[in-house]
PDB file of all heavy atoms in Angstrom:
ATOM      1  N   ASP A  94     114.622 145.456 142.931  1.00 86.00           N
ATOM      2  CA  ASP A  94     114.487 145.123 141.637  1.00 86.00           C
ATOM      3  C   ASP A  94     115.048 146.401 140.696  1.00 86.00           C
ATOM      4  O   ASP A  94     114.249 147.080 140.180  1.00 86.00           O
ATOM      5  CB  ASP A  94     113.050 144.773 141.225  1.00 86.00           C
ATOM      6  CG  ASP A  94     112.937 144.331 139.824  1.00 86.00           C
ATOM      7  OD1 ASP A  94     113.878 143.931 139.212  1.00 86.00           O
ATOM      8  OD2 ASP A  94     111.790 144.246 139.301  1.00 86.00           O
ATOM      9  N   GLY A  95     116.301 146.489 140.719  1.00 84.00           N
ATOM     10  CA  GLY A  95     116.760 147.669 139.980  1.00 84.00           C
ATOM     11  C   GLY A  95     116.487 148.969 140.723  1.00 84.00           C
ATOM     12  O   GLY A  95     116.244 149.069 141.914  1.00 84.00           O
ATOM     13  N   ASN A  96     116.118 150.036 139.840  1.00 85.00           N
ATOM     14  CA  ASN A  96     115.669 151.197 140.393  1.00 85.00           C
ATOM     15  C   ASN A  96     114.116 151.543 140.121  1.00 85.00           C
ATOM     16  O   ASN A  96     113.703 152.715 140.301  1.00 85.00           O
ATOM     17  CB  ASN A  96     116.572 152.406 139.856  1.00 85.00           C
ATOM     18  CG  ASN A  96     117.847 152.508 140.538  1.00 85.00           C
ATOM     19  OD1 ASN A  96     118.031 152.002 141.674  1.00 85.00           O
ATOM     20  ND2 ASN A  96     118.803 153.053 139.894  1.00 85.00           N
ATOM     21  N   ARG A  97     113.489 150.483 139.817  1.00 90.00           N
ATOM     22  CA  ARG A  97     112.031 150.596 139.409  1.00 90.00           C
ATOM     23  C   ARG A  97     111.116 151.088 140.477  1.00 90.00           C
ATOM     24  O   ARG A  97     110.414 151.950 140.295  1.00 90.00           O
ATOM     25  CB  ARG A  97     111.578 149.240 138.828  1.00 90.00           C
ATOM     26  CG  ARG A  97     110.519 149.612 137.732  1.00 90.00           C
ATOM     27  CD  ARG A  97     110.192 148.167 137.068  1.00 90.00           C
ATOM     28  NE  ARG A  97     109.024 147.650 137.848  1.00 90.00           N
ATOM     29  CZ  ARG A  97     108.842 146.449 138.092  1.00 90.00           C
ATOM     30  NH1 ARG A  97     109.568 145.577 137.564  1.00 90.00           N
ATOM     31  NH2 ARG A  97     107.843 145.976 138.835  1.00 90.00           N
ATOM     32  N   ASN A  98     111.264 150.479 141.670  1.00 94.00           N
ATOM     33  CA  ASN A  98     110.351 150.799 142.864  1.00 94.00           C
ATOM     34  C   ASN A  98     110.923 151.756 143.883  1.00 94.00           C
ATOM     35  O   ASN A  98     110.210 152.344 144.560  1.00 94.00           O
ATOM     36  CB  ASN A  98     109.959 149.420 143.446  1.00 94.00           C
ATOM     37  CG  ASN A  98     109.284 148.619 142.503  1.00 94.00           C
ATOM     38  OD1 ASN A  98     108.305 148.964 141.802  1.00 94.00           O
ATOM     39  ND2 ASN A  98     109.829 147.245 142.258  1.00 94.00           N
ATOM     40  N   ALA A  99     112.277 151.487 144.037  1.00 95.00           N
ATOM     41  CA  ALA A  99     112.891 152.347 145.148  1.00 95.00           C
ATOM     42  C   ALA A  99     114.295 152.872 144.501  1.00 95.00           C
ATOM     43  O   ALA A  99     114.918 152.314 143.760  1.00 95.00           O
ATOM     44  CB  ALA A  99     113.109 151.417 146.262  1.00 95.00           C
ATOM     45  N   SER A 100     114.617 153.931 145.176  1.00 95.00           N
ATOM     46  CA  SER A 100     115.960 154.392 144.781  1.00 95.00           C
ATOM     47  C   SER A 100     117.036 154.447 145.864  1.00 95.00           C
ATOM     48  O   SER A 100     118.212 154.755 145.513  1.00 95.00           O
ATOM     49  CB  SER A 100     115.716 155.947 144.199  1.00 95.00           C
ATOM     50  OG  SER A 100     115.294 156.676 145.287  1.00 95.00           O
ATOM     51  N   ALA A 101     116.737 154.187 146.963  1.00 96.00           N
ATOM     52  CA  ALA A 101     117.654 154.144 148.125  1.00 96.00           C
ATOM     53  C   ALA A 101     117.019 153.398 149.374  1.00 96.00           C
ATOM     54  O   ALA A 101     115.814 153.199 149.415  1.00 96.00           O
ATOM     55  CB  ALA A 101     117.996 155.559 148.522  1.00 96.00           C
ATOM     56  N   GLY A 102     117.993 152.922 150.242  1.00 95.00           N
ATOM     57  CA  GLY A 102     117.537 152.288 151.367  1.00 95.00           C
ATOM     58  C   GLY A 102     118.616 151.925 152.300  1.00 95.00           C
ATOM     59  O   GLY A 102     119.815 151.977 151.915  1.00 95.00           O
ATOM     60  N   PHE A 103     118.327 151.865 153.570  1.00 96.00           N
ATOM     61  CA  PHE A 103     119.279 151.269 154.588  1.00 96.00           C
ATOM     62  C   PHE A 103     118.609 150.554 155.619  1.00 96.00           C
ATOM     63  O   PHE A 103     117.367 150.611 155.898  1.00 96.00           O
ATOM     64  CB  PHE A 103     119.976 152.572 155.137  1.00 96.00           C
ATOM     65  CG  PHE A 103     119.230 153.264 156.203  1.00 96.00           C
ATOM     66  CD1 PHE A 103     119.089 152.975 157.440  1.00 96.00           C
ATOM     67  CD2 PHE A 103     118.491 154.520 155.730  1.00 96.00           C
ATOM     68  CE1 PHE A 103     118.432 153.719 158.415  1.00 96.00           C
ATOM     69  CE2 PHE A 103     117.752 155.152 156.667  1.00 96.00           C
ATOM     70  CZ  PHE A 103     117.630 154.833 157.991  1.00 96.00           C
ATOM     71  N   ILE A 104     119.405 149.785 156.274  1.00 96.00           N
ATOM     72  CA  ILE A 104     118.893 148.959 157.414  1.00 96.00           C
ATOM     73  C   ILE A 104     120.119 148.903 158.613  1.00 96.00           C
ATOM     74  O   ILE A 104     121.160 148.796 158.198  1.00 96.00           O
ATOM     75  CB  ILE A 104     118.757 147.348 157.037  1.00 96.00           C
ATOM     76  CG1 ILE A 104     117.470 147.326 156.208  1.00 96.00           C
ATOM     77  CG2 ILE A 104     118.486 146.544 158.377  1.00 96.00           C
ATOM     78  CD1 ILE A 104     117.242 145.939 155.575  1.00 96.00           C
ATOM     79  N   ARG A 105     119.722 149.174 159.825  1.00 98.00           N
ATOM     80  CA  ARG A 105     120.483 149.142 160.944  1.00 98.00           C
ATOM     81  C   ARG A 105     119.953 148.223 161.940  1.00 98.00           C
ATOM     82  O   ARG A 105     118.684 148.184 162.129  1.00 98.00           O
ATOM     83  CB  ARG A 105     120.851 150.461 161.589  1.00 98.00           C
ATOM     84  CG  ARG A 105     121.593 151.465 160.618  1.00 98.00           C
ATOM     85  CD  ARG A 105     122.918 151.140 160.121  1.00 98.00           C
ATOM     86  NE  ARG A 105     123.850 150.584 161.072  1.00 98.00           N
ATOM     87  CZ  ARG A 105     124.791 151.394 161.680  1.00 98.00           C
ATOM     88  NH1 ARG A 105     124.864 152.551 161.325  1.00 98.00           N
ATOM     89  NH2 ARG A 105     125.527 150.787 162.736  1.00 98.00           N
ATOM     90  N   LEU A 106     120.837 147.332 162.579  1.00 98.00           N
ATOM     91  CA  LEU A 106     120.423 146.422 163.498  1.00 98.00           C
ATOM     92  C   LEU A 106     121.017 146.825 164.875  1.00 98.00           C
ATOM     93  O   LEU A 106     122.198 146.998 164.901  1.00 98.00           O
ATOM     94  CB  LEU A 106     120.572 144.952 163.123  1.00 98.00           C
ATOM     95  CG  LEU A 106     120.220 144.539 161.797  1.00 98.00           C
ATOM     96  CD1 LEU A 106     120.644 143.135 161.623  1.00 98.00           C
ATOM     97  CD2 LEU A 106     118.746 144.631 161.673  1.00 98.00           C
ATOM     98  N   PHE A 107     120.276 146.850 165.984  1.00 98.00           N
ATOM     99  CA  PHE A 107     120.778 147.336 167.147  1.00 98.00           C
ATOM    100  C   PHE A 107     120.388 146.220 168.232  1.00 98.00           C
ATOM    101  O   PHE A 107     119.449 145.609 168.239  1.00 98.00           O
ATOM    102  CB  PHE A 107     120.181 148.469 167.679  1.00 98.00           C
ATOM    103  CG  PHE A 107     120.581 149.732 166.755  1.00 98.00           C
ATOM    104  CD1 PHE A 107     119.800 150.133 165.826  1.00 98.00           C
ATOM    105  CD2 PHE A 107     121.788 150.429 167.024  1.00 98.00           C
ATOM    106  CE1 PHE A 107     120.072 151.111 164.989  1.00 98.00           C
ATOM    107  CE2 PHE A 107     122.001 151.491 166.146  1.00 98.00           C
ATOM    108  CZ  PHE A 107     121.274 151.908 165.059  1.00 98.00           C
ATOM    109  N   THR A 108     121.280 146.083 169.288  1.00 97.00           N
ATOM    110  CA  THR A 108     121.134 145.144 170.325  1.00 97.00           C
ATOM    111  C   THR A 108     121.089 145.952 171.687  1.00 97.00           C
ATOM    112  O   THR A 108     121.846 146.857 171.974  1.00 97.00           O
ATOM    113  CB  THR A 108     122.267 144.003 170.438  1.00 97.00           C
ATOM    114  OG1 THR A 108     122.280 143.351 169.256  1.00 97.00           O
ATOM    115  CG2 THR A 108     121.942 143.062 171.517  1.00 97.00           C
ATOM    116  N   ALA A 109     120.209 145.595 172.526  1.00 97.00           N
ATOM    117  CA  ALA A 109     120.047 146.313 173.817  1.00 97.00           C
ATOM    118  C   ALA A 109     121.018 145.944 174.791  1.00 97.00           C
ATOM    119  O   ALA A 109     121.348 144.799 174.906  1.00 97.00           O
ATOM    120  CB  ALA A 109     118.528 146.202 174.322  1.00 97.00           C
ATOM    121  N   GLU A 110     121.512 146.873 175.633  1.00 94.00           N
ATOM    122  CA  GLU A 110     122.233 146.664 176.729  1.00 94.00           C
ATOM    123  C   GLU A 110     121.394 145.971 177.860  1.00 94.00           C
ATOM    124  O   GLU A 110     120.238 146.330 177.822  1.00 94.00           O
ATOM    125  CB  GLU A 110     122.881 148.028 177.306  1.00 94.00           C
ATOM    126  CG  GLU A 110     123.790 148.771 176.196  1.00 94.00           C
ATOM    127  CD  GLU A 110     125.245 147.961 176.226  1.00 94.00           C
ATOM    128  OE1 GLU A 110     125.616 147.315 177.256  1.00 94.00           O
ATOM    129  OE2 GLU A 110     125.784 148.145 175.036  1.00 94.00           O
ATOM    130  N   PRO A 111     121.917 145.223 178.671  1.00 94.00           N
ATOM    131  CA  PRO A 111     121.168 144.649 179.742  1.00 94.00           C
ATOM    132  C   PRO A 111     120.528 145.741 180.796  1.00 94.00           C
ATOM    133  O   PRO A 111     119.518 145.626 181.272  1.00 94.00           O
ATOM    134  CB  PRO A 111     122.050 143.725 180.510  1.00 94.00           C
ATOM    135  CG  PRO A 111     123.400 144.019 180.035  1.00 94.00           C
ATOM    136  CD  PRO A 111     123.325 144.749 178.728  1.00 94.00           C
ATOM    137  N   ASP A 112     121.393 146.797 180.972  1.00 92.00           N
ATOM    138  CA  ASP A 112     121.030 147.851 181.842  1.00 92.00           C
ATOM    139  C   ASP A 112     120.235 148.944 181.219  1.00 92.00           C
ATOM    140  O   ASP A 112     120.338 149.206 179.925  1.00 92.00           O
ATOM    141  CB  ASP A 112     122.213 148.538 182.494  1.00 92.00           C
ATOM    142  CG  ASP A 112     123.051 147.468 183.436  1.00 92.00           C
ATOM    143  OD1 ASP A 112     122.389 146.769 184.231  1.00 92.00           O
ATOM    144  OD2 ASP A 112     124.212 147.408 183.176  1.00 92.00           O
ATOM    145  N   GLY A 113     119.290 149.606 181.995  1.00 93.00           N
ATOM    146  CA  GLY A 113     118.547 150.663 181.408  1.00 93.00           C
ATOM    147  C   GLY A 113     117.820 151.362 182.548  1.00 93.00           C
ATOM    148  O   GLY A 113     118.349 151.226 183.713  1.00 93.00           O
TER     149      GLY A 113
END
Side-chain angles (χ1 to χ4, degrees):
D94 185 17
N96 284 335
R97 215 176 85 211
N98 300 307
S100 61
F103 74 88
I104 291 173
R105 296 299 309 261
L106 307 178
F107 298 92
T108 304
E110 296 284 334
D112 297 309

